Amino acid sequence: MLFSDVIGQDTIKQHLAEMVEHNRLSHALLFLAKEGAGGLPLALAFAQYIVSLPAEAPVVEDLFGGMTALEPSGGFIPPEQIANQPAYVRADKLVHPDLHFTYPVIPRKSGDKPVSADYIEEWRSFVETMPYGNVYDWLQSIGAENKQGNITAEECNQIIRELSLKSFESRYKVLLLWMPEYLGKEGNKLLKLIEEPPPNTVFILVAENEESILPTILSRCQLVRIPALEDADIEKALTERAKANEETARQITGICEGNYREALHLLQHADEDWQSLLREWLNAMLKTGPAAQLKFIDEVSRLGREKQKQFLRYFNHLLEQSIRIRVMGEEQIKVAAEEKDFAKRLNKIASVSQQECMIEELDKAAYYIERNAHAKMLFQALTIKLYHIIQNKTLILSK
């Protein structure tokens, strides 16, 4: 994977390239990125880049890059030219002997003590097909179902053994550790190795939640914060990579909030008419009464959890556009004409405080759906709550 294969994040790409160019590559980097922002593909591209550099690349010996010179190294190869190096062919296929991976795994059978290498074929397939996937996608791809993924003590011992050996052909040994949140206390085994690694050893950790990482590991890494993707980058990726039409890409971009994984998921169900379903719900809630409400609840409960979450997310999106129209003016809001009209109608039935309360209730409902709440009961309760928020101007207060 090349930097050009990673969506957006131009500032971060430039920063990483300058680290190498000016010989300031830390021996331990922590990429912190929310889901769908591109933490994993960016880390993969960077790992493949540095492991493919020729032997005259700068030496990494300590936290500050080992050298005090500020001048660029003479043999610097820009990331966009690394594909011309012989080692890149192996790195791109994830078979380079000096490129190692660690990720959450599950035991194949009771009593197993799994390590990441047991799932390397599945990992290569996952990275190729779902580079923007999250840990749930990964665990489902290896048949985890309801099992919890883990980075085991055996995996930590394996890391220590592998990184204590000399590199085979590259100047660097690189370990890409995805989701260090799954390390738990076993991560303490790696502290000394991360703090005092062998020369030319680079750790690249990729995480989503800073608070779930062991503080002792966090303190030993140089933090690289990766922001959510820009709307323009997501819209371009949807049209050029996912082959979505421009109107669909624009609508999805407005909903996914910088999360490309979510954008792809929404694209799979782009043919759903959420607006008509929402209109039916609001009419049943405010006009046609209990019989129509029961009809809607029965209909939405058959959609399945993922579609139910997307429907609630779409309602939230329209409520957010309603607030923006009220605050910024409709000429400043760039959404489809039908959506803008619907959002303006929502402003007629609810104030800002009511809309904020509705957004909170919809968020909570989506959270409960993820945790297998009974769909009919949930939407029945949600219908009653939204009715009182809109019709009786009752604000449901959180505990």
Side-chain angles (χ1 to χ4, degrees):
M1 181 177 289
L2 298 170
F3 273 13
S4 58
D5 297 321
V6 180
I7 299 169
Q9 307 297 5
D10 292 338
T11 302
I12 302 296
K13 292 174 185 176
Q14 182 179 355
H15 173 63
L16 294 174
E18 288 174 353
M19 280 185 181
V20 176
E21 181 180 7
H22 295 283
N23 200 18
R24 293 182 178 275
L25 178 60
S26 170
H27 73 265
L29 297 167
L30 174 59
F31 287 28
L32 188 63
K34 293 296 184 183
E35 176 190 295
L40 177 57
L42 189 58
L44 276 167
F46 188 56
Q48 292 167 343
Y49 167 56
I50 59 178
V51 84
S52 302
L53 290 170
E56 61 269 18
V59 177
V60 177
E61 294 183 348
D62 57 36
L63 182 61
F64 302 102
M67 303 291 288
T68 58
L70 299 180
E71 294 300 318
S73 57
F76 175 68
I77 298 174
E80 59 270 18
Q81 296 178 16
I82 200 65
N84 298 324
Q85 296 298 312
Y88 179 77
V89 176
R90 292 180 292 282
D92 186 47
K93 295 179 180 178
L94 308 187
V95 295
H96 196 290
D98 297 317
L99 180 56
H100 308 279
F101 298 98
T102 289
Y103 33 81
V105 293
I106 59 169
R108 293 189 187 274
K109 58 184 179 181
S110 180
D112 273 359
K113 296 180 179 180
V115 294
S116 297
D118 297 338
Y119 290 89
I120 189 61
E121 291 300 327
E122 291 90 340
W123 174 251
R124 289 169 183 149
S125 175
F126 175 76
V127 166
E128 181 180 359
T129 58
M130 299 184 66
Y132 284 84
N134 61 12
V135 71
Y136 173 81
D137 299 326
W138 160 244
L139 292 174
Q140 293 307 302
S141 73
I142 61 174
E145 296 179 352
N146 294 324
K147 296 178 184 176
Q148 295 293 321
N150 192 23
I151 298 177
T152 63
E154 287 72 19
E155 176 68 21
C156 294
N157 293 333
Q158 181 72 8
I159 290 171
I160 295 170
R161 284 193 297 270
E162 288 180 343
L163 298 187
S164 65
L165 301 174
K166 290 184 178 181
S167 58
F168 283 85
E169 60 179 80
S170 174
R171 188 67 177 268
Y172 298 98
K173 297 190 299 291
V174 181
L175 172 70
L176 195 160
L177 195 161
W178 186 50
M179 300 304 293
E181 296 96 320
Y182 285 76
L183 268 171
K185 294 181 180 179
E186 288 81 2
N188 289 316
K189 289 176 172 283
L190 301 177
L191 294 181
K192 183 173 177 58
L193 182 64
I194 294 176
E195 188 170 16
E196 300 177 8
N200 293 354
T201 300
V202 180
F203 291 86
I204 302 176
L205 284 67
V206 187
E208 292 182 358
N209 186 354
E210 185 176 358
E211 296 178 356
S212 299
I213 304 171
L214 287 173
T216 46
I217 288 182
L218 194 62
S219 64
R220 287 164 168 79
C221 298
Q222 179 180 343
L223 189 60
V224 180
R225 294 188 183 275
I226 300 172
L229 289 169
E230 298 287 341
D231 285 355
D233 292 326
I234 290 184
E235 188 173 336
K236 181 179 179 182
L238 287 173
T239 54
E240 294 183 358
R241 302 185 184 202
K243 307 304 179 185
N245 64 61
E246 292 184 2
E247 183 61 31
T248 299
R250 190 178 301 112
Q251 291 181 14
I252 289 175
T253 299
I255 302 173
C256 71
E257 298 180 340
N259 184 337
Y260 188 64
R261 174 190 179 268
E262 185 64 26
L264 291 176
H265 203 71
L266 290 168
L267 184 60
Q268 293 179 356
H269 304 285
D271 55 343
E272 301 288 346
D273 190 357
W274 298 132
Q275 195 170 123
S276 295
L277 188 62
L278 178 56
R279 185 179 294 107
E280 177 187 346
W281 191 18
L282 291 172
N283 283 331
M285 192 187 304
L286 303 175
K287 290 184 178 180
T288 48
Q293 291 173 17
L294 291 175
K295 178 178 178 294
F296 164 80
I297 291 167
D298 185 61
E299 180 180 352
V300 77
S301 65
R302 293 197 299 266
L303 291 178
R305 285 189 301 164
E306 290 302 319
K307 289 188 177 182
Q308 289 164 3
K309 288 192 297 182
Q310 288 178 32
F311 171 60
L312 295 177
R313 191 176 295 111
Y314 180 74
F315 193 1
N316 255 346
H317 165 67
L318 290 182
L319 286 168
E320 289 167 1
Q321 299 309 314
S322 297
I323 295 174
R324 289 191 176 102
I325 288 173
R326 197 188 296 264
V327 174
M328 300 168 59
E330 63 177 284
E331 63 279 355
Q332 300 296 323
I333 308 302
K334 297 180 180 180
V335 296
E338 289 185 3
E339 286 191 0
K340 185 179 290 188
D341 180 68
F342 204 110
K344 288 163 63 178
R345 291 174 185 273
L346 290 173
N347 275 334
K348 294 179 181 180
I349 66 171
S351 65
V352 171
S353 58
Q354 288 172 296
Q355 290 170 338
E356 289 176 344
C357 192
M358 291 165 69
I359 289 172
E360 183 178 345
E361 292 299 329
L362 293 169
D363 282 339
K364 287 194 291 186
Y367 174 85
Y368 295 141
I369 288 172
E370 286 182 346
R371 281 145 187 81
N372 296 315
H374 191 282
K376 287 189 176 181
M377 294 177 64
L378 183 143
F379 277 96
Q380 179 71 66
L382 184 58
T383 300
I384 294 171
K385 285 182 179 180
L386 294 183
Y387 170 82
H388 285 291
I389 291 171
I390 298 172
Q391 199 76 346
N392 297 335
K393 295 181 172 58
T394 303
L395 302 185
I396 310 297
L397 300 178
S398 301
K399 293 183 180 179

